[in-house]
Amino acid sequence: MSQSQWATKLFYSSAITQGAIYVIRPMITYRALELDATASTIGFIAAVYALLPVLLALTFGKMVGQIGEGRFVIFGTLFIGVSAVLLMAADSLTLLAIAAALSGLAHLACMVGGQTMVALKSPPDQYEEHFGRYTFSASLGHMVGPILATLVAGSTGVMPKSTSAAFALALALAALAMVPVISWRNEPPTVVGRKEDSGALRAAGKLLKKPGIFAAIFTSLAISSTADILVVFLPLYGNENQFSALSIGIIISIRAATSMASRFFLGRLSARFSARQLITSSNLISIAMCVAMAFAPNAWVLGAVVFVAGFSLGVGQPLTMTLISQLTAPDERALAVSTRLTGNRLGQFLIPAVAGLVAASAGASAVFIGLAILVSTTFIPRQ
């Protein structure tokens, strides 16, 4: 398969699957509110979304080197559709949590397959460009998904008319995302993964001892958790402050749009500034914007703040992907990708549960202050 063929297929599929996920994530919050969930319960469901990925990410990292990146993308896309069907039928918080967990696992499979493919098929001098394009395609889905969801679901004011209609849209998008990648069902792994006698967990532990790996993974954890929390808790914040469901959907899309813009220009930015300079400056901006979100008096101000936050949050993820790829050998990159994703999902498992408790006692605005503190921890010196 030529470079242009695999890249084009992956980026198209990634944009659509990420769109499906970003239809699902905000609508899970609204479906939970329909079922009279408390803020702490919403935080718990958001944590459950990341629970299975935390447990299985390292296993996926070993499996993708044996099964193949393309097949992982196909499996993930298929089960995003299955989770959408379950969400349409979710008439209890228990079933909603189960469906959320499955969608999180399916999303992880797509990401392990896609990121491993980019890490293995891209020439080393084009990592920034290819990871930038890959995350750009994801941000495109993040931007379009929430708007499509709110348009399809309709609005009664602060709540959608039909979350089931939005989940049906996610099912249709998953089916569409399968079209460009279905030909990969017989593709072997690009590089057969290293077989570790010591097990995935111990192999990941060895990987984390390499200089720079832990710092990159922790930074990725903080940035991805912050972006993920915004998707889950902006609907709750809007509900508390009587912002319409449509305005919150647009604001979530604005975050994705400006992240997409930052990734589009990442190649040019990387030519002028070092990765450390870019990550440091973008994280400082993210801290300031998270604090500002907590005090936004209306949807217009919130949208303006999220506009800036989206740009700053968009920089860190592709840069940490690049750093990890540069610091690892080809036969351990699948494990490195999955270790990074384990860190991301661990943060997305623990932090929403804490955020839900904070929101229950102090309101959703306090969650944004907590996110500012989380991003601040990336400046703690580490090897």
Side-chain angles (χ1 to χ4, degrees):
M1 188 189 306
S2 73
Q3 177 179 318
S4 60
Q5 286 179 328
W6 73 259
T8 300
K9 289 179 178 181
L10 177 63
F11 298 153
Y12 276 130
S13 181
S14 173
I16 300 169
T17 53
Q18 295 288 350
I21 287 295
Y22 268 61
V23 168
I24 286 172
R25 296 302 305 285
M27 287 297 154
I28 287 177
T29 299
Y30 284 122
R31 175 60 68 90
L33 289 170
E34 290 174 357
L35 296 170
D36 299 321
T38 62
S40 57
T41 301
I42 289 171
F44 172 76
I45 292 173
V48 166
Y49 174 86
L51 176 59
L52 287 179
V54 167
L55 298 175
L56 294 175
L58 292 177
T59 301
F60 275 17
K62 295 191 73 174
M63 290 172 62
V64 73
Q66 309 302 321
I67 295 174
E69 316 93 81
R71 292 171 183 163
F72 250 72
V73 173
I74 291 172
F75 293 152
T77 304
L78 173 64
F79 280 99
I80 287 174
V82 173
S83 70
V85 173
L86 288 177
L87 286 165
M88 282 189 281
D91 55 2
S92 69
L93 291 173
T94 299
L95 185 55
L96 184 66
I98 292 171
L102 180 59
S103 65
L105 194 61
H107 187 203
L108 174 72
C110 287
M111 293 174 68
V112 169
Q115 291 181 25
T116 302
M117 184 174 289
V118 176
L120 292 175
K121 290 183 179 291
S122 300
D125 61 347
Q126 294 180 21
Y127 277 139
E128 286 90 349
E129 178 186 349
H130 283 190
F131 277 121
R133 289 176 63 196
Y134 176 70
T135 51
F136 175 90
S137 69
S139 291
L140 178 61
H142 297 173
M143 178 184 70
V144 175
I147 293 178
L148 289 177
T150 52
L151 291 176
V152 170
S155 177
T156 60
V158 297
M159 292 290 290
K161 285 183 180 179
S162 174
T163 50
S164 291
F167 295 137
L169 170 64
L171 173 61
L173 290 173
L176 183 62
M178 190 72 79
V179 174
V181 300
I182 192 65
S183 61
W184 293 346
R185 62 191 181 277
N186 296 320
E187 286 281 329
T190 301
V191 175
V192 176
R194 180 182 299 177
K195 293 183 178 180
E196 299 281 354
D197 296 332
S198 56
L201 189 59
R202 186 169 296 181
K206 291 179 181 178
L207 193 67
L208 288 171
K209 293 178 182 178
K210 286 195 168 190
I213 293 290
F214 180 80
I217 287 176
F218 185 84
T219 299
S220 178
L221 179 157
I223 295 170
S224 67
S225 297
T226 298
D228 192 72
I229 290 291
L230 292 181
V231 177
V232 175
F233 281 89
L234 279 172
L236 179 63
Y237 184 74
N239 185 265
E240 289 180 356
N241 291 277
Q242 298 299 298
F243 300 163
S244 72
L246 179 60
S247 68
I248 292 298
I250 292 172
I251 288 169
I252 293 173
S253 295
I254 286 172
R255 199 282 305 168
T258 51
S259 289
M260 183 171 64
S262 70
R263 289 160 178 175
F264 181 80
F265 293 108
L266 184 59
R268 298 179 189 178
L269 290 171
S270 296
R272 295 189 60 183
F273 305 100
S274 70
R276 181 175 181 178
Q277 289 173 324
L278 288 172
I279 291 175
T280 299
S281 58
S282 63
N283 283 0
L284 286 171
I285 294 170
S286 296
I287 292 166
M289 292 303 102
C290 285
V291 172
M293 284 179 213
F295 302 99
N298 55 56
W300 290 100
V301 173
L302 182 62
V305 172
V306 171
F307 181 95
V308 179
F311 195 93
S312 60
L313 289 169
V315 170
Q317 290 292 72
L319 286 178
T320 56
M321 293 178 195
T322 295
L323 288 172
I324 289 169
S325 296
Q326 291 173 337
L327 294 169
T328 52
D331 62 353
E332 62 184 2
R333 276 184 202 145
L335 180 64
V337 165
S338 63
T339 302
R340 174 184 167 277
L341 289 172
T342 299
N344 288 1
R345 287 298 190 263
L346 182 62
Q348 291 165 13
F349 169 62
L350 296 175
I351 294 167
V354 175
L357 295 175
V358 170
S361 60
S365 60
V367 172
F368 302 139
I369 301 295
L371 293 178
I373 295 171
L374 173 64
V375 179
S376 298
T377 62
T378 62
F379 294 106
I380 297 173
R382 26 180 91 79
Q383 184 180 359

